[in-house]
Amino acid sequence: MMNSNIKSTKKDIVVVGGGPAGMAAGLRGAEEGAEVMIVERDIELGGILNQCIHNGFGVEIYGEELTGPEYAERFTSQISESSVDVMLNTFVLSMRPDKSMTLLTPNGLLEVEAEAVVLATGARERSRGEIRIPGSRPSGVMPAGTAQELINKKGFLPGKRVFVLGSGDIGLIISRRLTWEGAEVAGVAEIMDYPTGLNRNVVQCLHDYDIPLHLSHTVTDIYGSNRLEGVELSRVDDNMKPVEGTGQDIDVDLLLLSVGLVPENDFFKEAGVTLSERTSGPIVDEWFQTDVPGIFGCGNSVHIEDLVDWVTMDGFRAGDGAVAYAGNGNLQSAEKDVVPGENVNYVVPQKVSGEDDFRFALRVEEPMENADISIKGTDISFFEKIVTPGEMEVNEVEGEDLEELQGLDEIEVEVTRRF
Amino acid sequence: MNASYDVIVIGGGIIGTGVARALSRYKIDVGVLEKEPDVCWGTTKANSGIVHAGYDAKPGTAKASFSAPGNKKYGGWTENLSVPFKRLGSFVSTKDKSQLDKLENLLEQGEENGVEELEIITDRKRIEELEPNITEEVEVVLYAPTAGVVAPYKLTIALFENARENGVDFHFNAPVKGIQKGEDEAKFTIESGGGNFDGKYVINAAGIHSDEIAGMVGDDSFSIFPARGEYHLLDSEIEGYVRRINFPLPTQESKGILVTPAAEGSIIFGPNHQPLEEPSVATTKEGLEKVLGGAMKLFPDIDTGKIRTNFAGLRAKAGSDDFVIGESDAADNFVNVAGIQSPGLTAAPAISEHVVGLLEDLGLELIDDSDFDPRRNPIPKFAEMDIDEIAQYTDKYKAAKDIVCRCEEVTRAEIEEAIDRGATTLDGIKFRTRSRMGSCQGGFCTPRLIEILSDKLGVSPKEITKKGDNSYLLAEETKKGE
Ligand SMILES: Cc1cc2nc3c(=O)[nH]c(=O)nc-3n(C[C@H](O)[C@H](O)[C@H](O)COP(=O)(O)OP(=O)(O)OC[C@H]3O[C@@H](n4cnc5c(N)ncnc54)[C@H](O)[C@@H]3O)c2cc1C
Ligand SMILES: Cc1cc2nc3c(=O)[nH]c(=O)nc-3n(C[C@H](O)[C@H](O)[C@H](O)COP(=O)(O)OP(=O)(O)OC[C@H]3O[C@@H](n4cnc5c(N)ncnc54)[C@H](O)[C@@H]3O)c2cc1C
């Protein structure tokens, strides 16, 4: 039953999520003349950027190292001058496959019908339960991003002697931040035998501060009944299983988990979009359109990206796709599957038309030196001195190369050693 | 002068709050002393949440005599208290027709205990209809339609709120440290960390510590031996994959590792059975692996990637392996309700009424209080409202437009109301509203919750804790760029 008091409105494009991905998609839409609404549940636009006060954002796009908030500002200022309708403190209560949705705004409920929808809802951090660390359940165990928010946005230090599990960028950056704030970082553990974050961050955040990095190690027990009192650190074998008898106790009052992000995919599911088992995000084509026509995704909600620059570029692309779809209800259909081959964990997009230039992003399964990233059965190939699962590889297929794809039913991307 | 009560209940678990609420219908003064800052932080918060049908216990034991009657009272109990309770029915499954006699014995035992509607199913098609994803190897099932699931913490909180509405005083942060028996008058003086209290009758419902409390009046007739049980809790996303309460064949020491929907939507696996020297609710690698292994025997294809968290609870086993309910031989008017191991949750409504009867037999005069209201209003739950209800609710409360916990869709209005109703910690809010119970396990909302708690309680964010005591969340302020 529809309540007659509920207001309703129509838009060409509704973007859910006002982080860098959503802002780029929304801006592009408005530039192309579409009526755009950005829905953001937080009190401000910017997403995760607002709590990343370190610099290192924008190297690819602007050629300079901005802080997260500075990078966000470049977009928020353009948005405020554009025709984009920004709805802050607004929650999507339900998302339907026909691209209508119910919003809860500070002024009450709002029904919105959209021609095209872009879901740019970002990612959430994996929790302790998901990696199943046994032990007691004291306070002082939290995701690194939560600690980052507490420190950078709320002005509180959540602990004084800290252990960090996970050597991804978030874990590395928080270690340095904690040190600056006067906390002692007792160490960082990584279950893999290589750090998963960017190399520059390993150097600048750990080495420069003499913070030990324990590769092939993980936390196997948690002590303390009220507040965390310590953790047990153990070595793992080649199958990533803890080795009996290698445990050492480390006294800390804070354990930060930086053990991966998972795309916020709830709305894709609600809208009936097919998800990829590898990324947990939607299966998308080169315009970031999902298999529900008119529903797009971009940024961390599609797959976890390491550089905001790529997020922005994907946002623009999704914005272009949404404009085209909203204009005539039609986008070139993408029939060719893009599939991961040798040493490829995943590739995005998972479908392409083969008609338009496209960028593809992949993560490898194992580190490799002197690697060729290539499309099987073609001469399309890109050389990389070193590839690791921690660094996303982005390449573009354009112009004449597209012709090479003509004969293929399926595009298999592989990473092999050149020599 | 000490606050003085007709009855003092020690312990705010399901038993203590159940007894307090049962007493609140009479014109007597009742006080509850709880060592923690909230109710339900002992065994009652971490168990399987099953309202057992009642076939497990040996006829003639206290366990048997309170289980089936307790089960029968659950419908009315939870309806008045507005607590979700679902009679899903339970399965005891075996892979082997040769085990049929064991199930038949259980069925007979159940009937003797007064359990109704028990049935043995050997028709595989019917088994699948009732439980589609159970391993195809299961051939015989004891089906008990009266078994159900309840959220034990919701229930205990509801009992507490209703008892309080009806005049019971709750004293938190009041660990009992000593009990003095008055010389000539029938009176106890109880020393607690939260002050001293006088009472004519004392109910010992201190769970795992009930032997220590009994010892304070010279009663050493029983000891409590803790035995830990560990669990996996899955994301509510796979709600529906398991539909009944599934047990393997029981063993001597426990009912085995079960797989069941939880009352609030998720699925749980557990518990194992690990006797301990020292009480501890830490989970262990071995324990969790055992639980997972046990669960996979019944549901081999369940998506274990959906495990969201683990927890453990402590069984309070008395030496006799039965409930210890009755007046102490060592002290008149001192009533033990101890050794309440499983199925204590199930038995709680029957035990509560029985204890009221006991007190009356001991001379407590019970006059009905005409103001007694058995009903308790729950906190309105945004996540369960339809669009019209949301429209009304959000029109009425500004704070209802502010969703704090995104995973479970909990609004600031709900959180503030939970605090108004007595939550003082993150765990207190969690058990009342489900915030921090969803997919992200509090990653997003914890900073907001700390803010709301500190605003409402008027204390610094540094004083906010996860679960009282030293479980603070923030160590100090940052340098703020100094
Ligand atoms: C600690 C950390 C350090 C990083 N460091 C760097 C770096 O140095 N350089 C670099 O280039 N990149 C860095 N990154 C990566 C980069 O910041 C992210 O890839 C990027 O922010 C992802 O953008 P997004 O828009 O997809 O997601 P987000 O920034 O997470 O934005 C998602 C937005 O959607 C909103 N939202 C979600 N659900 C809903 C809903 N239901 N309704 C309404 N709104 C919703 C959220 O509130 C949020 O604002 C870092 C990331 C982290 C976490
Ligand atoms: C693993 C496991 C699974 C179970 N599953 C089920 C099930 O599925 N179905 C079922 O029916 N039963 C089950 N049970 C049993 C059920 O949980 C218990 O019977 C029931 O919770 C006992 O409640 P209680 O009030 O006696 O104890 P508790 O909940 O432990 O309450 C005792 C209270 O006393 C307080 N206290 C202790 N010492 C003091 C002191 N000195 N001063 C003041 N306060 C004090 C404690 O803080 C606590 O709040 C299970 C038990 C376990 C351990």
Side-chain angles (χ1 to χ4, degrees), chain B residues 247-322:
Chain B
F247 300 93
L249 263 182
T251 61
Q252 197 61 30
E253 68 228 11
S254 85
K255 294 187 260 302
I257 290 160
L258 59 90
V259 177
T260 179
E264 296 196 289
S266 38
I267 290 173
I268 59 178
F269 302 161
N272 58 341
H273 184 271
Q274 181 66 48
L276 298 176
E277 297 279 316
E278 287 298 317
S280 159
V281 288
T283 54
T284 62
K285 181 166 157 276
E286 300 73 33
L288 292 174
E289 273 168 12
K290 186 161 182 209
V291 167
L292 193 60
M296 301 289 285
K297 280 188 198 147
L298 288 170
F299 289 85
D301 298 327
I302 196 158
D303 182 359
T304 55
K306 291 286 177 322
I307 292 175
R308 284 292 167 268
T309 188
N310 307 112
F311 62 89
L314 281 177
R315 301 173 180 87
K317 224 181 182 84
S320 64
D321 203 22
D322 200 2

Side-chain angles (χ1 to χ4, degrees), chain A residues 1 3 6 41 91 93 102 104-109 111 123-124 127 129-130 132 134-139 143 146 149-151 154-160 180-182 225-227 253 264 269, chain B residues 232 237 282-285 288 292 304 307-310 382 387-388 390-391 394 400-401 403 406 409 439-441 443-444 447 451 461-462 466-467 469-480:
Chain A
M1 195 185 66
N3 185 308
I6 298 174
R41 62 189 175 186
F91 301 85
L93 296 182
T102 309
L104 180 60
T105 80
N107 297 317
L109 289 166
E111 290 289 339
R124 69 170 173 83
S127 68
E130 283 169 276
R132 288 182 227 161
S136 57
R137 312 183 54 71
S139 72
T146 307
E149 184 184 347
L150 287 170
I151 298 169
K154 309 283 180 187
F156 286 99
L157 202 57
K160 303 267 297 169
W180 285 347
E181 283 297 338
S225 53
N226 286 309
R227 177 71 194 194
D253 64 5
E264 283 275 24
K269 285 187 208 158
Chain B
H232 293 281
E237 210 175 80
T283 54
T284 62
K285 181 166 157 276
L288 292 174
L292 193 60
T304 55
I307 292 175
R308 284 292 167 268
T309 188
N310 307 112
F382 180 88
I387 194 83
D388 292 322
I390 289 177
T394 52
K401 297 193 193 87
I403 298 178
R406 292 129 181 205
E409 288 195 348
S439 320
C440 86
Q441 293 283 303
F444 280 123
E451 259 172 19
K462 284 191 290 187
K466 176 173 188 279
K467 47 180 175 179
D469 217 354
N470 190 34
S471 64
Y472 65 89
L473 295 143
L474 306 173
E476 59 185 43
E477 276 160 52
T478 57
K479 298 177 185 164
K480 304 239 166 70

Side-chain angles (χ1 to χ4, degrees), chain B residues 10-16 33-36 42-44 47-50 52 174-176 205-207 209 213 229 231 271 313-315 340-346:
Chain B
I10 303 174
I14 188 76
I15 298 298
L33 309 184
E34 167 56 56
K35 71 176 165 77
E36 302 291 347
T43 299
T44 308
N47 56 50
S48 315
I50 309 301
H52 293 280
V176 172
H209 299 293
I213 300 289
Y231 291 91
L314 281 177
R315 301 173 180 87
I340 309 296
Q341 51 174 309
S342 190
L345 180 66
T346 309

